[in-house]
Amino acid sequence: MVSSKTPDNDSAPDQSKKSDQSVHELEKRVSEQKRELENSQECLENTNEELLIACREMKLIKSELATIKAENQQKIRELKELNDDVYNMLTSSQLATIFLDEKLTLRKFTPHINEIFRISDSELGSPFHKLSHLLPDVNVAETVKTVQETCLSVEKEVQSTVGKWYLMRVLPYCVAEKIFTGVVLTFIDISERKKAEESMRLLATVVRDSNDAITVQNFEGKITFWNTGAERIYGWTRAEAVGMIVHDIIPKAKQQEALEFAVRVMSGNNVETFETERITKDGRILTISLTATTLKDKNGEPIAMATTERDVTERKKIEERLRTSEERYALAARGSNDGIWDWDIQTNAAYFSPRWKEMLGYADHEIQNKFEQWEKLIHPDDLERLRRAIKSHLSGEILLFEVKHRLKHKNGSYRWMLSRALCIRNNDGVPIRMAGSQTDITERKRIEEIKNEFISLISSELRHPLTSISEYLGYLRDEVIGKLSRQAKDFFTMAQNNCLRLLRVINDILDIEKIETGTLDLKREEVEVMSLIEETLADIRDGSENSSISYVILKALPGHKIIGDRIRLRQVLENLIINATKSSPPDSSIELSVTALDYDIRIAVRDYGPGIPPELHDHVFSKFSQADASQPKDENGTGLGLNIAKAIVEHHDGHIGFETELGIGTTFYVDLPFRKRDQFAIRVSGRDRRRLLICTDDHLVANFLARILDESGSSTDIISSGKQVKKRLTEYEYKAIVIDLMLPHQIGIELIRDIRESEITARMPIIVLFASTDPEGLHLRGGIFEIIDWMTKPIDNDRIIEAVKVALSKSSTKGKRILHVEDNEEVAMMIRALLRRHAYMTHATDLEEAKNQLAKESYDLILLDLGLPDGTGLDLLPLLPQGIPIVIFSSYELNPKVRKRVFATLAKTTIQTDQIMDTLKGCMADT
């Protein structure tokens, strides 16, 4: 093996060359790196400059951001304050508001919305159409959808189920011009405004329909307003009157007075209501009660005068008649020795006439004119009773104050007095005075006590012994009849007959006492008429001494029955048959007949005696009267039989009368209500909507009236005694009553007063008959006694028929009592004005007062408002008896379930006065 070696001198250049190349490359690289470093340094310097610039810019940005942050925080605070302001504004304004987004979901609401929508915070985001509300008459969801689609706002008045009224506004939610992102609903409570509008409308209705004349005249005296009341009173239509000068309707003698009055009113001075005169279109001069007020503009400056004018012409005439009547009464009082008293209820001052004080032994100056003085003199046992009577009279429960009581005399004794009085009321019906008379009845009371003692004496101390003596005499006569001489037998018979006669006298006196005191008791039972007659005839035949008289029943009605007292009816028949027997000649017959009339059975007893002279006709049924004056006075008769028979018949709702002809004979007849199977029950219980009661003892007048009224379509019942009126009126339903002032045993005016004092008949229409052309009390027509008409005899056919028509029209509604539950006084006044001629109104302002009224009184109709201060009117419904008609008169909507319970519903916001009248009249007519 051969090794080669490189010589040193060969390798050195190569190495040097390589080194140089390496150095050169290194230098080159260094140079490049240097350049790169220089470039990097330059870049770094540039970057540094950029960083410095960026740093400065960052500092500026930071400063700007701090400024922006401060501004944003300020705006946030402002937005929060603005949001709070808006929220508080919406809350304080009590606006019920709902905000919906573009999807119609709930975004926000105010607290007051809960009056209408039942929503809470948990329902935020809920679809609007799923929210429940209290607006039954409007589709709110559909309205909202329409607003969203059309971008047009909607505004309407709506009513909630609780009766509140709202102005509902639905608007698109606008974020920029014509950019809508949702819907806003607001509800403004306008209930008070609606009530005010209703009150204004009702007041306008009252003004329009008022019976008073309401006018307006400007400074020049030109008439600018004229209501229908003015048209009715003065005769000029509104078109004719507006523009007229007011002086044209004022008499010349009153024009200066009217001018001065207008000046005072226009100057703003207070003026009192005063009476003046006006001229009608047809030239009549009326007396007018005038009230005026100044109308002012918004600045308080007077611009016109409004007047309310009431025609008081008729009232002035009545006052004049009343003044004349009072003067006449004062003269009569002085003549009758009565005392006069007058009590001012408002001041409690009183006036007692000198005669009033003299009755008690005092001089005029010894008793002060104070109401307390009277009370101090009243007997302690009578005081409370007297106070109750006064209270009842002032409240209207009794029409006439009439009380018997005792007053202390100056000498310490007590005198019996009869006090009569009437209260005087103002235009609102409030009692302001009570005036009357006082009669000393001490002697009358003493006589009554003596009479009562006498009646008690003959009843117990005479009747029983006489009965025993009569029985003993009869027993002795029968036992020893064979041992006595004829003269002794006659003595026994005479003694027994005298005992029986005395017993008849005593029994008749006791019967008369019972009749006069109203204590005649009747046992009501079915009585078969023919058996009653046969029993009576059998007893008469057995006791008759005149065997030549025969008794014949010409007509009979087998099976017919009447309701009555069998014993008392036999007493009547015995009296008629015995009287006929006494009047009949020997060998004649007494004929009895029983016939059926429309409603009665007539039992007639006919004799063939001399008849009753005309001059005795009016006295046949009087006490101590004997019909047949041609016959010797009957020593066995008392003269009371026919009087008692008449009273018994009338107590049976019947009628007794007679027909006679001189030289031919007399027929006495008795008409009694009959009963054949169920006919009597039908007559008693049947309702006749045109049934009238006639009360007169003049049978010619009664028959005439019955015929006239029957022909006009009215049915009639006839009674001849005032004492039977109350009983009849409680047993039957009559639409009116015709009363003759001249009645036996009772003055017609007293009977009318008794009728008016009864709650059942207090408002029954009454027609009065009288014989005089100027009756006492004629001025009472249409007054406190509410007389339909006063008619003189002979009676005018057309006038009685017209009076009955008026009575029937009044009876359909006039007697009705209406309770009006209403807290709005203007509405209550309007209803009172509408119905004051048709019904009796009681007003309650809240539930509590209504409940108190219902506890005290019964009513025929309830007129009910729903919105009351202490609750809803519906709370009264459970307290009302079934059958009482209820009319809802309210602004509130009625639940359909409740509507079934009421007669009718009237909306205050739309109803007219004629609709109110028609509804209430229809309701009252059906009750």
Side-chain angles (χ1 to χ4, degrees):
M1 177 175 75
V2 178
S3 61
S4 68
K5 290 186 183 177
T6 306
D8 292 339
N9 55 347
D10 291 333
S11 62
D14 293 333
Q15 290 179 352
S16 176
K17 188 177 179 178
K18 290 180 180 178
S19 296
D20 290 339
Q21 289 177 349
S22 297
V23 169
H24 178 73
E25 289 175 0
L26 287 171
E27 287 177 349
K28 186 179 179 179
R29 285 199 297 272
V30 169
S31 177
E32 288 175 357
Q33 289 180 356
K34 182 179 179 181
R35 284 195 300 271
E36 289 177 359
L37 287 172
E38 287 175 354
N39 290 333
S40 296
Q41 182 178 359
E42 185 178 355
C43 288
L44 288 172
E45 287 175 355
N46 291 333
T47 301
N48 186 46
E49 287 181 13
E50 290 175 356
L51 287 173
L52 289 174
I53 293 170
C55 185
R56 286 194 296 272
E57 289 176 352
M58 288 297 292
K59 287 181 180 179
L60 290 173
I61 291 171
K62 183 179 180 180
S63 176
E64 289 176 359
L65 287 174
T67 302
I68 291 171
K69 180 181 179 181
E71 290 176 352
N72 285 340
Q73 288 177 343
Q74 178 64 27
K75 289 187 178 297
I76 289 171
R77 284 194 298 270
E78 290 175 355
L79 286 173
K80 186 177 183 302
E81 290 175 357
L82 180 61
N83 189 54
D84 291 340
D85 289 344
V86 171
Y87 176 81
N88 284 301
M89 181 186 70
L90 292 173
T91 304
S92 63
S93 64
Q94 298 184 346
L95 285 176
T97 308
I98 288 180
F99 297 92
L100 305 176
D101 60 18
E102 64 275 7
K103 295 181 180 180
L104 299 185
T105 59
L106 181 63
R107 187 164 64 84
K108 188 181 295 185
F109 60 88
T110 60
H112 291 289
I113 200 65
N114 281 304
E115 295 179 0
I116 306 163
F117 285 79
R118 303 304 188 197
I119 56 178
S120 62
D121 291 339
S122 63
E123 293 179 281
L124 291 173
S126 299
F128 178 75
H129 69 272
K130 292 186 177 182
L131 301 180
S132 62
H133 58 80
L134 303 178
L135 303 172
D137 298 329
V138 60
N139 191 332
V140 185
E142 188 65 30
T143 303
V144 168
K145 187 176 179 181
T146 301
V147 170
Q148 183 192 40
E149 292 173 351
T150 63
C151 293
L152 299 175
S153 61
V154 172
E155 183 176 293
K156 64 174 65 177
E157 294 180 354
V158 295
Q159 187 180 27
S160 71
T161 54
V162 296
K164 285 192 172 184
W165 280 93
Y166 297 93
L167 177 62
M168 182 182 76
R169 288 177 177 154
V170 187
L171 302 94
Y173 190 95
C174 181
V175 296
E177 187 177 358
K178 296 185 179 180
I179 299 177
F180 305 105
T181 61
V183 176
V184 182
L185 294 88
T186 60
F187 295 86
I188 303 171
D189 189 339
I190 57 170
S191 300
E192 291 302 318
R193 193 194 79 188
K194 294 292 285 187
K195 283 188 177 181
E197 289 175 353
E198 175 194 334
S199 297
M200 291 297 294
R201 186 185 65 80
L202 292 174
L203 286 174
T205 301
V206 170
V207 170
R208 185 193 68 202
D209 298 338
S210 173
N211 286 326
D212 293 337
I214 299 177
T215 71
V216 177
Q217 55 185 275
N218 59 21
F219 278 129
E220 290 76 31
K222 186 178 292 185
I223 297 172
T224 59
F225 178 79
W226 188 265
N227 76 335
T228 54
E231 291 179 340
R232 181 183 58 82
I233 293 174
Y234 297 124
W236 282 285
T237 65
R238 181 177 302 177
E240 293 171 331
V242 171
M244 287 175 56
I245 303 300
V246 72
H247 276 201
D248 294 342
I249 63 171
I250 302 176
K252 289 185 179 179
K254 297 289 184 179
Q255 288 183 359
Q256 184 61 33
E257 174 190 73
L259 179 61
E260 294 172 357
F261 177 78
V263 170
R264 291 200 306 273
V265 174
M266 294 293 191
S267 301
N269 296 325
N270 292 328
V271 292
E272 300 291 335
T273 298
F274 81 109
E275 291 182 356
T276 184
E277 293 178 350
R278 292 288 185 268
I279 303 173
T280 66
K281 185 177 181 179
D282 58 10
R284 291 178 295 115
I285 295 179
L286 303 179
T287 303
I288 296 296
S289 175
L290 187 146
T291 304
T293 186
T294 305
L295 300 181
K296 300 180 180 180
D297 61 18
K298 62 181 180 180
N299 298 319
E301 295 297 325
I303 56 174
M305 179 176 73
T307 66
T308 301
E309 303 169 18
R310 176 170 296 176
D311 182 0
V312 295
T313 308
E314 189 62 28
R315 191 194 76 190
K316 296 297 288 185
K317 293 178 181 178
I318 293 173
E319 287 176 353
E320 179 61 25
R321 290 200 298 267
L322 182 60
R323 184 187 63 78
T324 304
S325 177
E326 287 175 346
E327 292 175 352
R328 186 186 302 133
Y329 176 75
L331 290 172
R334 287 197 295 270
S336 63
N337 226 15
D338 284 351
I340 305 298
W341 58 275
D342 190 343
W343 172 36
D344 188 325
I345 299 172
Q346 295 176 316
T347 65
N348 215 35
Y351 166 76
F352 304 107
S353 69
R355 173 56 189 157
W356 190 97
K357 300 173 183 178
E358 182 186 341
M359 297 165 98
L360 300 174
Y362 292 95
D364 191 18
H365 67 278
E366 291 183 295
I367 294 182
Q368 293 180 324
N369 287 328
K370 292 183 179 180
F371 184 73
E372 294 85 354
Q373 287 291 112
W374 186 33
E375 289 191 319
K376 288 179 181 178
L377 295 172
I378 297 171
H379 193 287
D381 294 344
D382 300 338
L383 182 58
E384 190 58 35
R385 177 170 55 86
L386 200 65
R387 285 174 174 168
R388 286 198 304 269
I390 292 174
K391 183 179 179 181
S392 297
H393 178 57
L394 295 181
S395 67
E397 293 178 19
I398 58 174
L399 185 63
L400 179 67
F401 173 80
E402 182 173 307
V403 179
K404 295 176 183 178
H405 61 91
R406 288 162 288 182
L407 287 180
K408 193 172 185 179
H409 195 273
K410 187 177 181 179
N411 61 17
S413 65
Y414 281 94
R415 305 284 294 178
W416 276 99
M417 302 291 175
L418 172 62
S419 290
R420 294 189 182 98
L422 282 173
C423 74
I424 300 171
R425 304 175 187 272
N426 62 16
N427 291 336
D428 297 324
V430 178
I432 56 174
R433 283 179 56 201
M434 188 170 173
S437 65
Q438 176 173 284
T439 306
D440 190 331
I441 59 170
T442 306
E443 185 63 21
R444 188 192 307 173
K445 293 289 289 186
R446 187 183 68 82
I447 292 173
E448 287 178 359
E449 290 174 0
I450 294 173
K451 175 185 173 183
N452 292 336
E453 291 175 0
F454 172 70
I455 295 296
S456 177
L457 173 67
I458 65 173
S459 177
S460 59
E461 301 299 328
L462 289 179
R463 185 166 61 169
H464 297 314
L466 279 173
T467 302
S468 299
I469 292 172
S470 176
E471 291 176 353
Y472 292 151
L473 287 172
Y475 173 76
L476 288 175
R477 187 187 64 179
D478 293 340
E479 286 295 317
V480 298
I481 190 168
K483 304 174 183 178
L484 297 176
S485 65
R486 183 177 182 84
Q487 187 177 18
K489 292 177 184 178
D490 291 341
F491 286 157
F492 265 103
T493 301
M494 187 183 300
Q496 188 177 23
N497 288 341
N498 284 333
C499 284
L500 292 174
R501 179 175 177 276
L502 285 174
L503 280 173
R504 282 196 297 271
V505 171
I506 291 171
N507 288 332
D508 285 350
I509 291 174
L510 294 176
D511 284 344
I512 287 293
E513 171 63 16
K514 291 177 182 178
I515 292 168
E516 291 181 347
T517 58
T519 58
L520 182 65
D521 293 327
L522 297 178
K523 181 182 178 182
R524 301 285 180 174
E525 60 181 339
E526 286 189 354
V527 179
E528 208 275 322
V529 178
M530 297 313 300
S531 66
L532 176 69
I533 293 174
E534 289 165 0
E535 290 172 8
T536 306
L537 286 177
D539 288 345
I540 290 174
R541 289 189 182 105
D542 291 343
S544 175
E545 297 178 357
N546 189 354
S547 59
S548 65
I549 301 295
S550 61
Y551 302 94
V552 180
I553 299 177
L554 293 181
K555 294 180 181 179
L557 284 178
H560 281 66
K561 297 176 182 180
I562 55 178
I563 300 296
D565 188 312
R566 191 179 195 90
I567 295 175
R568 290 294 183 182
L569 291 174
R570 279 188 59 176
Q571 181 180 345
V572 172
L573 290 179
E574 285 178 0
N575 184 277
L576 297 182
I577 296 171
I578 290 173
N579 285 348
T581 302
K582 293 176 181 177
S583 300
S584 297
D587 301 320
S588 63
S589 61
I590 306 296
E591 297 174 351
L592 284 80
S593 61
V594 183
T595 55
L597 306 179
D598 289 340
Y599 294 118
D600 302 312
I601 280 186
R602 171 167 291 187
I603 304 173
V605 179
R606 175 180 174 82
D607 66 58
Y608 290 92
I612 303 174
E615 62 270 18
L616 297 180
H617 287 186
D618 293 338
H619 308 288
V620 167
F621 295 106
S622 301
K623 296 176 186 176
F624 309 110
S625 173
Q626 293 186 344
D628 191 354
S630 64
Q631 299 294 325
K633 186 174 178 63
D634 182 11
E635 296 182 355
N636 293 322
T638 63
L640 297 173
L642 286 175
N643 182 266
I644 295 171
K646 185 173 186 292
I648 293 173
V649 170
E650 289 173 352
H651 273 70
H652 283 79
D653 300 333
H655 172 68
I656 187 171
F658 66 92
E659 297 171 353
T660 185
E661 188 174 353
L662 290 178
I664 302 298
T666 302
T667 300
F668 277 85
Y669 58 87
V670 174
D671 296 338
L672 296 167
F674 72 87
R675 178 173 184 176
K676 180 181 179 182
R677 298 181 181 90
D678 292 331
Q679 290 181 8
F680 181 76
I682 293 172
R683 177 179 179 246
V684 172
S685 61
R687 287 170 60 94
D688 186 343
R689 298 183 71 86
R690 295 175 59 87
R691 190 174 187 183
L692 288 83
L693 179 64
I694 299 172
C695 182
T696 177
D697 65 337
D698 188 332
H699 65 279
L700 293 177
V701 170
N703 292 333
F704 171 78
L705 284 174
R707 179 177 59 80
I708 292 297
L709 297 178
D710 285 346
E711 291 174 356
S712 68
S714 300
S715 61
T716 57
D717 288 345
I718 300 171
I719 56 175
S720 58
S721 169
K723 293 185 177 181
Q724 293 299 306
V725 169
K726 281 190 177 181
K727 182 172 180 295
R728 271 289 182 130
L729 293 177
T730 57
E731 291 179 351
Y732 302 98
E733 180 182 348
Y734 293 100
K735 295 303 177 183
I737 180 171
V738 182
I739 296 177
D740 193 338
L741 287 185
M742 300 303 295
L743 292 171
H745 312 306
Q746 188 172 22
I747 299 173
I749 290 294
E750 293 179 354
L751 174 59
I752 295 172
R753 183 169 58 244
D754 291 342
I755 292 173
R756 288 291 180 245
E757 289 177 355
S758 170
E759 183 177 352
I760 299 174
T761 58
R763 299 170 189 87
M764 172 169 286
I766 297 175
I767 301 170
V768 173
L769 309 178
F770 58 92
S772 169
T773 58
D774 185 20
E776 290 295 328
L778 182 58
H779 64 277
L780 296 176
R781 176 180 177 180
I784 58 172
F785 286 154
E786 295 188 14
I787 305 302
I788 299 297
D789 201 352
W790 297 74
M791 297 190 181
T792 57
K793 303 174 187 175
I795 300 167
D796 181 87
N797 295 22
D798 295 335
R799 184 171 173 180
I800 186 66
I801 292 173
E802 183 61 29
V804 169
K805 287 181 180 178
V806 173
L808 292 174
S809 66
K810 285 181 174 290
S811 69
S812 65
T813 59
K814 182 62 179 176
K816 305 299 183 182
R817 298 178 66 85
I818 298 178
L819 175 61
H820 185 195
V821 186
E822 170 63 64
D823 62 330
N824 189 318
E825 185 58 32
E826 288 84 359
V827 175
M829 288 175 60
M830 185 269 289
I831 294 296
R832 279 200 301 270
L834 286 175
L835 296 178
R836 68 180 185 272
R837 299 179 184 274
H838 305 281
Y840 297 87
M841 300 294 298
T842 300
H843 177 215
T845 58
D846 54 32
L847 284 176
E848 190 63 29
E849 187 177 356
K851 291 174 182 177
N852 292 336
Q853 291 293 347
L854 288 168
K856 292 190 299 184
E857 299 282 351
S858 59
Y859 294 91
D860 302 296
L861 173 66
I862 308 297
L863 186 59
L864 186 59
D865 187 12
L866 296 184
L868 298 172
D870 54 348
T872 172
L874 298 178
D875 293 340
L876 280 180
L877 296 185
L879 306 178
L880 299 175
Q882 291 292 330
I884 294 182
I886 303 165
V887 175
I888 301 297
F889 186 43
S890 178
S891 302
Y892 298 165
E893 185 69 21
L894 192 62
N895 186 305
K897 293 182 179 178
V898 179
R899 191 177 287 122
K900 295 179 180 179
R901 171 77 197 278
V902 303
F903 180 88
T905 58
L906 303 176
K908 289 182 179 178
T909 53
T910 58
I911 197 71
Q912 299 294 320
T913 54
D914 55 347
Q915 292 176 277
I916 297 174
M917 288 298 299
D918 291 343
T919 301
L920 296 182
K921 280 185 175 181
C923 183
M924 290 186 290
D926 288 344
T927 59

